[in-house]
Amino acid sequence: MKSLFISFYLAKQYYKNMTKLSVNVNKIATIRNARGNNVPNLLNVALDIEKFGAEGITVHPRPDERHIRYSDVYDLSKRVTTEFNIEGYPNQKFIDLVLDVKPEQVTLVPDPPHVLTSNAGWKIKENKELLNEVLTEFSKELNSKPLAIFILLLSTIKSQSPLIGSAIFSSLNS
């Protein structure tokens, strides 16, 4: 029972300290890029989002820079005062960006350059070597900052336990 209490206490402390709302500003950048100028101003919008109470800013730079540009990441990193989270596929350009900027959080997303959008989680078994390699490098270089991996857990649950998976999918579809 003591072990259960300690586990609950540690989980409660962990979640208590988590960022509760981090706003992804990619769509703001998409609008700016479509207009061909700096309206809306991404940096000003991000700073306003912080003033309105968000506890974090999230960006997801892609190699084609159709939303966030790599230069945006550098600009935001100098001014964002809340948690700064960079999401992305761990190609070398992304890894270099993360190691240079050193954000408060990094989220690895399985959307290689040829994929239009992230629509599934990492296939852990197939990508174990890549993920281990990147996470090991980030762990050493980022001084214990939070690292996250986007995993589509529901499909894993459904394949591991049809009863639990069916119950989850039924409740999601009702």
Side-chain angles (χ1 to χ4, degrees):
M1 190 63 156
K2 184 177 181 182
S3 163
L4 179 62
F5 175 75
I6 291 170
S7 297
F8 176 75
Y9 175 77
L10 292 174
K12 187 175 173 185
Q13 292 301 96
Y14 173 77
Y15 288 111
K16 178 179 166 186
N17 296 325
M18 282 180 57
T19 297
K20 293 170 183 66
L21 174 64
S22 184
V23 177
N24 187 320
V25 295
N26 274 25
K27 295 303 180 194
I28 305 301
T30 301
I31 294 168
R32 176 208 55 200
N33 296 347
R35 290 179 174 172
N37 56 29
N38 197 30
V39 176
N41 181 301
L42 182 68
L43 180 58
N44 289 343
V45 170
L47 297 176
D48 283 346
I49 289 169
E50 288 182 316
K51 283 185 219 166
F52 298 149
E55 295 179 345
I57 299 294
T58 294
V59 295
H60 187 152
R62 296 177 185 272
D64 63 7
E65 296 189 324
R66 66 180 176 266
H67 322 299
I68 295 294
R69 299 176 186 141
Y70 279 70
S71 60
D72 292 329
V73 176
Y74 286 101
D75 293 343
L76 289 166
S77 72
K78 294 172 190 165
R79 300 282 308 276
V80 167
T81 58
T82 57
E83 179 185 83
F84 190 46
N85 174 35
I86 303 176
E87 299 179 337
Y89 182 79
N91 61 20
Q92 194 57 53
K93 188 174 179 180
F94 178 81
I95 292 169
D96 292 343
L97 175 74
V98 167
L99 293 176
D100 195 28
V101 171
K102 295 184 177 21
E104 283 70 35
Q105 180 172 322
V106 179
T107 304
L108 302 181
V109 180
D111 61 347
H114 65 279
V115 173
L116 184 60
T117 188
S118 45
N119 59 1
W122 282 100
K123 294 180 179 172
I124 299 297
K125 287 181 185 176
E126 292 88 340
N127 294 284
K128 182 179 178 181
E129 189 176 316
L130 170 67
L131 293 171
N132 276 333
E133 191 177 299
V134 173
L135 291 173
T136 299
E137 183 174 4
F138 283 170
S139 294
K140 283 191 286 190
E141 299 295 328
L142 297 178
N143 301 321
S144 302
K145 294 187 179 198
L147 301 170
I149 304 173
F150 177 68
I151 303 171
L152 188 57
L153 185 58
L154 293 178
S155 63
T156 304
I157 291 172
K158 189 170 185 177
S159 68
Q160 298 298 320
S161 172
L163 292 176
I164 293 172
S166 297
I168 289 171
F169 284 104
S170 326
S171 63
L172 287 175
N173 293 324
S174 4

